[in-house]
Amino acid sequence: MARKASIWILDGNRAAAQGVKLSRVQVIAAYPITPQSPVTEKLSEFVEGKELDAQYIAVESEHSALAVCTSASMVGARTFTATSSHGLAYMHEMLHWAAGARLPLVLACVNRAIGAPWNVLNDQQDSISQRDTGWIQIYARNNQEIIDSIIQAYKIAESIYVPVMVCYDGYVLSHTEMPVDVPAQEDVDRFLPPYKPHTILDPANPKNYNLVTLANPRVNAEGVLCHGYMELRYLLQEALQNSRETITTVGREFGELFGRSYANMFWENRLDDADVVIVAMGSLAMEAMVAADILREAGHKVGVLGLRVFRPFPKADVAKALKKSRLVVVFDKNISYGLEGATCSEIKSALYGNSVRAVIRNFIVGLGGRDVKARELVDAVNKSLLSLKEGDLNEEYPEWICAI
Amino acid sequence: MKINAVNMTEKEYLLPGNRTCPGCALSLAYRHILKALEGQVIVTVPASCLTVLHGMYPVTSVTVPCVNTPFATTAASATGLVAGLKVLGKEGLTVLAIAGDGGTHDIGIQALSAAAERQTDFLYICYDNEGYMNTGNQRSGSTPLGAISGTTPILGKQQNQKDITAIMEAHGIPYVATANASYPLDLYEKVRKARTIRGTKFIHVFVPCSPGWGFPFSDTIKIGKLAVETGWVILYEVEDGVFRLTAASESIAKRGSLRPLREYLMEQGRFKNITEEQINELQGWVNTRWKRCLDRAVNN
Amino acid sequence: MGTRDCRHICGESSPAVGEAGKTGEWRDSFPVIDPEKCLLVRQNKPSCFLCWLYCPDAVISKTIPIQINMEYCKGCGICAQICPAHAITMVREEGLCLDETG
Ligand SMILES: Cc1ncc(C[n+]2csc(CCOP(=O)(O)OP(=O)(O)O)c2C)c(N)n1
Ligand code: SF4
Ligand code: SF4
């Protein structure tokens, strides 16, 4: 067990920066964007002030930021970048490239809406839009989870060679101060071993990476059959499929050392006896717990499933956790246009074939910084309960909590 | 010791049986670039004909370590390599970023400009075949006025190329140079010199492209030489602000004069529809640039 | 047998000659050296080597006389053009069938 708590008052961005520093990151490349900018400033300060022995590269774009991290990681450096919104969108090509090359990068996404029109406030459209790039996505509910998740992210990424995106809500967390238990450096050093790259960039053993790869397998000069493009893609999927084990093991080890366990893919709040479950991701899961309190007082058996790991999506665990529910109300701070909120789709797919009879309702909330009050969540659940009674079960599209 | 064909090392870093077209000037130039670096290099390469040269997984034609990187990111990738090597305390390797004109003049210029502004310690080589050859010969920011390409198919390009070496010189970097595959010794010397200089080094290497430009591949060297003899390409280097003509350009400046540009243009199918007016415009462009170089050169 | 035996988790390539196959098969003509004319042979010392210097495919040996690796020579003819002594001539490959259906 680690030494006693060292409580600091930190906003989310500073918590992230502390996590990066404690992880002894070696190359940082980032480009400022609201609301992530303070992360870049804080990390520059650490590097210039020699508190962190790293190279800080003030790049000219997010696309370059991730290209710097990608190549630095290939020579064997532990890297970090952070961004939001348009910055993450601008990285899209490099997100695929980094995952495809199996580089254990860690990226903090400070969740923000995407234009047009301009909006600097919070929702989760940015990271959700990148869900198919092969990155693990972890969402934090509070600032403690930000620092803890970043430290764990390196251990996860570097043990299975899959990059990890740690997402936290802009302003709601990034600019809100909270007490945070900051781990001691020597404990983090015990937890997180140095990075061992799988790539070799050495003139004495010259390898080339990411050359054109054919559709079909091809033999190398020694006659060994090597992958085709599709086999490499399969291995990435396999790594994500199997990563649940690593994520929960790392989270458990973290708990043993620091007293805060993350041996879960999602947070369960009073699910044991709940027949109505609210699903939310990120800081919204906190608000959902307040709503559940209110609903419990009114006599409903309500629990909260707070999604923590969105990729890989814990289908089996979710199905198990929702087994007893008759109503699942999913709140999404994103929208897959023409369909529904992304987490709602995932929940539905998790339940398919698992004989869970629950009715699923989806509400789109909090886009572009629109305040989400616990009261509104309560109303949405009540409304869903009502429609349940009236037998109006299947809604094709989600309902939006807005003024239209 | 001045380098020549006799004393140059036999050691090769580019293996036979690679994927470049017969008579590829890029292949020739790259062969000498790697020799000059004695293999002590990590290379980063974006989408281009050079990717094709490097080979297809799981085999490469090159015996130096290399990362492929997305089209726009060559200089950013190099920055990452430099930063990684530095923080890990690995010394003695040159980071070579090498991209085509599309990857340099066009999509990669932002990352390149920024890396130069940050004074990143690396060598950037733009090999210029004056078009997007990998995707089948479309126009680039380096395609000349009047040249036919996949995206200037009938009229030919209506604008002339940009002077990328001048743009890079304006970044105030310690070394910029031009070179040409037809003058491999001059190229070799420049790479060898660049290797010893700290900071951002930029070398522009002219590489005629037989299928793209429309000349027989046996004429690759001849076309490259004609480019210099007519002043389309001027061989020079600028070291800490000191401008020096080199190789054939130096000889022409000292004794002789440029041949008419027309002789160069007429050898190539891509200029088959060029107008007299355009030829005159290009000749004027060449004359102005040549005069500027003569004025600047300390060895004229 | 699957492809796992290669143990790669990303596209990692190793160097080998002939990545594109026997590129000599691409030739439509091939270089023939007349050693009598070659400056190296005539002077019997390392002197010229221009063909070696200019071969884009590094298939000419730096020996006296020079030797060309015909397995990989693409037949570009650059060596023949560059040779100051006209010691190399390009000869058409026999049995070439230019008809694509052939
Ligand atoms: C973002 C992106 N856009 C387009 C392409 C397609 N592409 C691949 S290579 C290439 C042209 C390369 O031209 P250049 O840099 O001049 O090199 P060359 O092929 O002539 O050697 C293009 C357009 C790409 N790979 N990535
Ligand atoms: S024909 Fe071309 S490839 Fe063959 S040896 Fe001569 S220069 Fe080299
Ligand atoms: S270029 Fe001609 S003379 Fe010179 S070494 Fe080659 S064959 Fe001999």
Side-chain angles (χ1 to χ4, degrees):
Chain A
M1 195 54 199
R3 297 123 32 76
K4 70 176 177 38
S6 163
I7 304 293
W8 301 20
I9 304 297
L10 293 176
D11 64 27
N13 284 335
R14 275 159 59 222
Q18 285 296 335
V20 171
K21 181 173 164 225
L22 287 168
S23 303
R24 295 195 190 277
V25 168
Q26 293 163 304
V27 173
I28 300 160
Y31 191 76
I33 181 167
T34 304
Q36 155 270 26
S37 308
V39 183
T40 64
E41 293 179 354
K42 195 70 200 167
L43 289 171
S44 308
E45 190 185 311
F46 286 156
V47 174
E48 279 193 16
K50 302 210 182 325
E51 282 181 67
L52 175 60
D53 184 17
Q55 293 275 308
Y56 184 94
I57 313 292
V59 285
E60 85 299 339
S61 76
E62 290 85 357
H63 195 267
S64 286
L66 209 48
V68 168
C69 291
T70 299
S71 287
S73 178
M74 293 190 78
V75 254
R78 181 173 286 162
T79 71
F80 177 75
T81 188
T83 190
S84 296
S85 179
H86 291 257
L88 191 66
Y90 204 34
M91 283 179 177
H92 180 70
E93 179 184 34
M94 290 309 304
L95 291 171
H96 275 290
W97 195 268
R102 301 294 298 274
L103 299 170
L105 312 185
V106 172
L107 177 157
C109 173
V110 190
N111 289 118
R112 166 187 154 180
I114 303 198
W118 286 117
N119 179 298
V120 298
L121 305 174
N122 169 243
D123 64 37
Q124 295 168 346
Q125 192 71 26
D126 50 2
S127 51
I128 290 293
S129 301
Q130 305 298 342
R131 66 170 188 195
D132 297 335
T133 53
W135 287 57
I136 289 172
Q137 286 197 353
I138 296 174
Y139 288 77
R141 290 178 306 171
N142 54 43
N143 297 354
Q144 185 69 59
E145 288 179 22
I146 296 174
I147 187 169
D148 293 350
S149 299
I150 283 182
I151 297 166
Q152 291 171 61
Y154 283 103
K155 190 155 181 169
I156 297 164
E158 291 168 11
S159 32
I160 57 173
Y161 298 112
V162 174
V164 178
M165 194 180 292
V166 175
C167 307
Y168 57 94
D169 289 311
Y171 292 106
V172 184
L173 298 181
S174 71
H175 286 65
T176 306
E177 294 194 326
M178 299 173 191
V180 172
D181 184 354
V182 177
Q185 183 68 63
E186 56 266 37
D187 292 330
V188 177
D189 290 345
R190 269 201 288 158
F191 173 75
L192 183 61
Y195 164 44
K196 284 201 209 69
H198 67 83
T199 44
I200 305 161
L201 289 176
D202 177 5
N205 181 15
K207 303 288 184 198
N208 277 213
Y209 290 95
N210 309 323
L211 298 182
V212 174
T213 298
L214 297 168
N216 290 328
R218 187 180 183 212
V219 291
N220 66 13
E222 286 76 47
V224 177
L225 188 69
C226 298
H227 308 303
Y229 178 84
M230 204 160 160
E231 285 71 22
L232 288 170
R233 288 297 78 104
Y234 175 83
L235 290 174
L236 178 56
Q237 161 72 1
E238 183 180 65
L240 271 114
Q241 275 175 202
N242 296 342
S243 65
R244 182 194 175 282
E245 180 66 26
T246 309
I247 293 167
T248 52
T249 307
V250 167
R252 188 173 304 114
E253 283 170 19
F254 188 91
E256 282 158 13
L257 208 57
F258 300 99
R260 293 180 297 279
S261 182
Y262 291 80
N264 57 350
M265 299 294 275
F266 47 81
W267 302 104
E268 295 187 31
N269 180 262
R270 286 172 292 181
L271 289 190
D272 287 344
D273 69 334
D275 61 359
V276 176
V277 178
I278 304 177
V279 178
M281 190 160 72
S283 63
L284 193 57
M286 291 305 222
E287 204 62 26
M289 289 199 278
V290 179
D293 284 343
I294 299 171
L295 286 158
R296 284 250 169 197
E297 266 168 41
H300 301 292
K301 286 188 189 153
V302 179
V304 176
L305 191 153
L307 285 172
R308 184 172 87 85
V309 184
F310 181 67
R311 279 293 181 277
F313 194 82
K315 278 173 84 163
D317 295 350
V318 164
K320 211 161 121 205
L322 296 180
K323 201 109 208 156
K324 292 198 291 278
S325 50
R326 66 192 166 101
L327 173 66
V328 179
V329 186
V330 186
F331 292 98
D332 268 295
K333 275 190 179 179
N334 69 82
I335 172 74
S336 176
Y337 293 104
L339 183 59
E340 61 197 355
T343 60
C344 181
S345 298
E346 316 298 32
I347 297 286
K348 285 180 179 169
S349 98
L351 298 191
Y352 181 79
N354 278 303
S355 62
V356 181
R357 287 262 157 66
V359 168
I360 302 174
R361 297 296 308 274
N362 187 206
F363 291 87
I364 306 300
V365 296
L367 300 191
R370 179 68 61 91
D371 200 17
V372 190
K373 297 189 182 67
R375 192 69 247 171
E376 289 167 317
L377 303 183
V378 169
D379 290 348
V381 173
N382 279 329
K383 196 172 169 192
S384 305
L385 281 164
L386 211 64
S387 66
L388 202 60
K389 260 187 225 140
E390 287 164 1
D392 174 16
L393 301 188
N394 270 320
E395 287 220 333
E396 196 175 7
Y397 293 117
E399 200 165 313
W400 289 52
I401 302 190
C402 69
I404 207 84
Chain B
M1 186 181 63
K2 250 200 132 36
I3 196 77
N4 57 45
V6 178
N7 66 19
M8 186 187 279
T9 174
E10 269 180 69
K11 187 139 175 60
E12 301 288 349
Y13 303 91
L14 184 78
L15 300 174
N18 68 57
R19 239 166 244 276
T20 54
C21 304
C24 175
L26 164 60
S27 186
L28 173 58
Y30 196 42
R31 182 182 158 218
H32 289 291
I33 289 164
L34 295 181
K35 282 165 95 83
L37 293 166
E38 298 174 284
Q40 292 309 299
V41 62
I42 299 180
V43 190
T44 179
V45 174
S48 60
C49 286
L50 187 54
T51 314
V52 177
L53 182 155
H54 264 263
M56 286 186 185
Y57 170 80
V59 187
T60 173
S61 293
V62 180
T63 61
V64 294
C66 170
V67 304
N68 269 242
T69 195
F71 200 17
T73 64
T74 321
S77 165
T79 304
L81 294 173
V82 170
L85 290 171
K86 182 148 185 208
V87 80
L88 297 169
K90 293 187 182 161
E91 283 168 12
L93 292 181
T94 300
V95 170
L96 170 65
I98 173 163
D101 47 293
T104 304
H105 300 53
D106 297 344
I107 201 168
I109 196 168
Q110 172 178 315
L112 171 58
S113 175
E117 184 265 334
R118 290 189 304 263
Q119 304 181 1
T120 309
D121 185 16
F122 77 125
L123 170 58
Y124 190 104
I125 293 181
C126 166
Y127 70 88
D128 191 353
N129 50 26
E130 299 186 340
Y132 297 164
M133 296 316 175
N134 182 248
T135 38
N137 186 15
Q138 297 85 18
R139 66 93 88 182
S140 79
S142 187
T143 304
L145 175 71
I148 302 279
S149 76
T151 48
T152 54
I154 297 162
L155 302 176
K157 196 179 160 200
Q158 297 298 299
Q159 308 81 17
N160 199 12
Q161 63 183 203
K162 58 172 125 169
D163 187 343
I164 192 71
T165 316
I167 292 169
M168 291 315 296
E169 192 190 342
H171 285 73
I173 57 180
Y175 188 76
V176 302
T178 58
N180 180 324
S182 296
Y183 302 87
L185 299 177
D186 180 60
L187 167 64
Y188 185 98
E189 295 278 12
K190 283 167 176 166
V191 173
R192 209 160 60 157
K193 180 182 278 185
R195 197 183 158 189
T196 64
I197 297 170
R198 281 192 75 80
T200 304
K201 288 81 61 178
F202 178 85
I203 304 179
H204 175 270
V205 185
F206 183 77
V207 290
C209 170
S210 148
W213 298 6
F215 62 81
F217 40 66
S218 55
D219 284 352
T220 299
I221 306 302
K222 179 178 126 186
I223 294 289
K225 287 189 172 172
L226 255 178
V228 172
E229 288 159 10
T230 57
W232 177 254
V233 168
I234 301 171
L235 298 171
Y236 66 84
E237 63 183 4
V238 189
E239 199 180 343
D240 290 325
V242 180
F243 183 104
R244 226 179 245 103
L245 289 166
T246 68
S249 293
E250 183 183 3
S251 324
I252 297 167
K254 284 191 171 142
R255 41 182 183 279
S257 56
L258 297 179
R259 293 164 68 171
L261 185 65
R262 181 187 302 271
E263 292 180 20
Y264 166 71
L265 302 175
M266 289 307 126
E267 293 283 335
Q268 304 169 49
R270 64 176 169 159
F271 292 113
K272 66 172 188 257
N273 291 351
I274 197 168
T275 63
E276 276 307 305
E277 213 177 11
Q278 286 172 327
I279 294 176
N280 291 338
E281 191 178 331
L282 285 175
Q283 185 66 63
W285 183 80
V286 165
N287 295 349
T288 307
R289 207 170 53 138
W290 179 237
K291 178 160 186 323
R292 203 168 58 224
C293 288
L294 291 180
D295 289 348
R296 283 187 76 191
V298 293
N299 59 341
N300 165 26
Chain C
M1 195 193 70
T3 58
R4 278 192 207 269
D5 288 350
C6 75
R7 306 177 71 89
H8 294 150
I9 61 165
C10 72
E12 181 186 279
S13 301
S14 299
V17 169
E19 185 278 317
K22 302 268 185 263
T23 49
E25 290 166 8
W26 300 3
R27 275 194 309 263
D28 59 5
S29 50
F30 61 97
V32 177
I33 317 151
D34 181 352
E36 303 285 286
K37 287 189 184 161
C38 170
L39 299 174
L40 296 168
V41 177
R42 271 161 51 192
Q43 298 166 358
N44 194 25
K45 62 169 192 197
S47 50
C48 175
F49 286 129
L50 281 179
C51 54
W52 170 81
L53 183 73
Y54 277 93
C55 173
D57 288 278
V59 296
I60 303 183
S61 70
K62 209 177 178 187
T63 50
I64 305 175
I66 56 149
Q67 279 178 348
I68 299 179
N69 182 342
M70 295 310 283
E71 258 185 330
Y72 297 109
C73 161
K74 293 175 187 162
C76 68
I78 284 179
C79 53
Q81 272 220 8
I82 208 77
C83 174
H86 305 290
I88 305 176
T89 42
M90 298 304 288
V91 177
R92 251 191 117 62
E93 292 275 358
E94 267 175 45
L96 253 194
C97 180
L98 293 179
D99 179 0
E100 274 177 26
T101 57

